[in-house]
Amino acid sequence: MKRKTLPLAVDLLGVNERMRNTFAMAFAGPAKAVARLADGGRADLVIVDADGVGAQEAWQAFHEKRPRCPAIAISAAGIELEGVAATIAKPIRVEQLIETIRRLAEQIEPDTQKTPPLPLAASIPAPQVAPSSGLAAETENEEKTQRIPTLRLHQREPETSESPATPPGKDLSAVCGTVEDIDCNDDAQVSKLFLPLEGRLLAALQTALAEAKQGKQPVALRYKENTLAIFHPRGRAVAVPVGDASLQRMSQAAFPGGMLFLEKLPADSASAPGPMAVHPDVLLWKVAAWTYRGRLPVDLPPNVRVYLRHWPNLTRLLELPDAMRIAALLNEQPMSMSRVAEALQIPQRHVFAFCACAHTIGLLDIAKRAADHLIEPPPAPPEHGERQFLGRIMHYLKGLMTR
């Protein structure tokens, strides 16, 4: 007899601890009715990160031991694994994951074999870009620091998937600030929420990315003689030679005009992969979190309805409090930020921080007549026969009056 009981016990293969936590949040939230983590026990289904290092070998070894256990592969690079029941593209849409699990539940037969604990594996980093020759020379000495006014730039050490960027010391004020909830219908209180980006590192990074997307040359953002970021042509990746501690301090400062400037580099200076490259969204997201700290962009009022264009890849982005729960609501329907905080019973600054970051990378938008797009309007009812007859009489009378 085929197994149809939900939720299924799902284990994860080739994922890091942070990705496992993200799945745990999804299985405790939107996907609660269909899946739960197997936690190393017997699994009905396994999800394989096809982008992970050694994923192919790990999956083949598991498949030999549990040939009847179905698998779902997830991949941002379109990698396909032989023998899996389904493949889902990253970033994963929760509703697609739920639908796939439900479909596979109808095909799973009872299996009393125990699933061995699945190993954690580092995932492959995002497409990378080598820094310029001058930048490479600077990074040879990891202990070297450079002094700039009121700031200290530390050379960046390559990050690994085992130690993803997270708020330093889990201090939520670093990404959410400490502002108390406000009345979002009070214009005076709302106006204090907005943070102009003039002179900010975030604005300079956005300008550099826009320049890189339009041209065929790498674009470097510099502070005096210091290179802060190098954007790959067409904005596919960005090399960041300074560490997160320096970026965080610079994100909170406003610089005089001309101190942050762009420089176009030779076309071949960022052609090869490098150890410090990430997707631009990863950089902009965390700099936005450190910049706004619970405040909002000037064009994003807290009392208008907003929505997510698609589900965010939270496993690659700086961790924000309640991010999964906020994303689940805004992915389902447009809602004002104040209403999200009320519905989830969380501080408004948690919602503001998430929405400011999502807005920065083009993931969040303001709903304009959202009902016209989300809900198909019912057809207009046919006119009653008597009303049609009276309409024809009125049309005839109007015609007599105009003759």
Side-chain angles (χ1 to χ4, degrees), residues 27-165:
F27 293 163
K32 182 178 181 179
V34 300
R36 61 178 176 82
L37 278 183
D39 293 329
R42 188 180 67 184
D44 305 316
L45 175 70
V46 64
I47 295 178
V48 187
D49 181 12
D51 298 333
V53 176
Q56 180 73 46
E57 294 77 9
W59 160 241
Q60 290 178 352
F62 174 83
H63 190 48
E64 290 177 359
K65 296 179 180 179
R66 292 287 309 280
R68 297 172 63 185
C69 183
I72 299 173
I74 57 174
S75 174
I79 298 175
E80 298 184 358
L81 299 178
E82 185 178 356
V84 299
T87 300
I88 299 178
K90 297 177 185 176
I92 301 170
R93 296 180 58 194
V94 172
E95 59 269 23
Q96 183 183 9
L97 177 63
I98 292 174
E99 179 184 352
T100 303
I101 293 175
R102 287 187 182 277
R103 175 169 55 83
L104 293 181
E106 299 295 327
Q107 306 171 12
I108 298 175
E109 298 180 359
D111 188 348
T112 58
Q113 297 184 45
K114 296 291 183 178
T115 304
L118 299 178
L120 300 179
S123 58
I124 295 176
Q128 299 177 333
V129 178
S132 64
S133 56
L135 181 59
E138 292 178 1
T139 59
E140 290 179 358
N141 183 5
E142 295 182 355
E143 301 298 328
K144 177 181 177 181
T145 60
Q146 297 175 316
R147 291 189 177 275
I148 58 178
T150 70
L151 295 169
R152 179 183 292 271
L153 286 183
H154 294 272
Q155 296 298 332
R156 175 188 180 134
E157 295 183 5
E159 295 176 357
T160 63
S161 56
E162 286 82 0
S163 57

Side-chain angles (χ1 to χ4, degrees), residues 65-367:
K65 296 179 180 179
R66 292 287 309 280
R68 297 172 63 185
C69 183
I72 299 173
I74 57 174
S75 174
I79 298 175
E80 298 184 358
L81 299 178
E82 185 178 356
V84 299
T87 300
I88 299 178
K90 297 177 185 176
I92 301 170
R93 296 180 58 194
V94 172
E95 59 269 23
Q96 183 183 9
L97 177 63
I98 292 174
E99 179 184 352
T100 303
I101 293 175
R102 287 187 182 277
R103 175 169 55 83
L104 293 181
E106 299 295 327
Q107 306 171 12
I108 298 175
E109 298 180 359
D111 188 348
T112 58
Q113 297 184 45
K114 296 291 183 178
T115 304
L118 299 178
L120 300 179
S123 58
I124 295 176
Q128 299 177 333
V129 178
S132 64
S133 56
L135 181 59
E138 292 178 1
T139 59
E140 290 179 358
N141 183 5
E142 295 182 355
E143 301 298 328
K144 177 181 177 181
T145 60
Q146 297 175 316
R147 291 189 177 275
I148 58 178
T150 70
L151 295 169
R152 179 183 292 271
L153 286 183
H154 294 272
Q155 296 298 332
R156 175 188 180 134
E157 295 183 5
E159 295 176 357
T160 63
S161 56
E162 286 82 0
S163 57
T166 55
K170 295 291 183 181
D171 180 8
L172 298 185
S173 65
V175 292
C176 296
T178 57
V179 179
E180 297 297 328
D181 289 0
I182 66 168
D183 179 0
C184 292
N185 293 317
D186 185 334
D187 292 341
Q189 295 184 56
V190 169
S191 64
K192 296 179 181 179
L193 274 181
F194 298 133
L195 178 67
L197 291 184
E198 184 178 0
R200 298 275 179 173
L201 172 64
L202 179 58
L205 289 171
Q206 291 175 310
T207 302
L209 175 59
E211 287 283 337
K213 286 182 175 180
Q214 294 177 359
K216 297 182 179 180
Q217 293 177 262
V219 176
L221 173 64
R222 302 193 189 278
Y223 177 87
K224 296 185 177 180
E225 72 279 6
N226 304 286
T227 300
L228 304 181
I230 301 176
F231 287 88
H232 192 280
R234 295 179 292 278
R236 293 182 298 182
V238 55
V240 188
V242 296
D244 281 352
S246 296
L247 285 178
Q248 184 176 353
R249 287 194 297 272
M250 297 189 73
S251 298
Q252 298 170 9
F255 295 89
M259 295 190 72
L260 297 174
F261 61 95
L262 307 184
E263 179 181 346
K264 291 186 177 180
L265 304 178
D268 60 349
S269 62
S271 57
M276 296 178 292
V278 296
H279 191 281
D281 286 354
V282 175
L283 174 61
L284 292 179
W285 177 281
K286 64 185 178 184
V287 172
W290 294 329
T291 300
Y292 288 112
R293 300 180 65 209
R295 298 177 68 179
L296 290 173
V298 294
D299 57 345
L300 190 63
N303 52 2
V304 299
R305 292 192 304 164
V306 294
Y307 66 96
L308 290 180
R309 296 178 179 271
H310 57 79
W311 186 262
N313 188 357
L314 296 175
T315 61
R316 294 183 180 271
L317 302 174
L318 180 74
E319 182 181 351
L320 298 178
D322 299 304
M324 178 69 75
R325 301 171 66 202
I326 297 169
L329 278 185
L330 295 181
N331 189 61
E332 182 178 349
Q333 61 181 339
M335 188 178 295
S336 69
M337 287 176 265
S338 56
R339 180 70 185 94
V340 171
E342 180 183 347
L344 297 178
Q345 297 184 347
I346 59 177
Q348 290 177 349
R349 59 182 178 272
H350 291 192
V351 184
F352 296 160
F354 176 89
C355 290
C357 293
H359 181 267
T360 298
I361 65 173
L363 181 63
L364 185 100
D365 204 356
I366 296 176

Side-chain angles (χ1 to χ4, degrees), residues 3-46:
R3 186 196 305 272
K4 297 183 181 180
T5 304
L6 295 174
L8 297 182
V10 179
D11 216 336
L12 309 173
L13 180 62
V15 305
N16 56 36
E17 189 64 27
R18 188 176 184 188
M19 188 179 295
R20 178 176 289 272
N21 292 337
T22 301
F23 273 104
M25 293 175 65
F27 293 163
K32 182 178 181 179
V34 300
R36 61 178 176 82
L37 278 183
D39 293 329
R42 188 180 67 184
D44 305 316
L45 175 70
V46 64

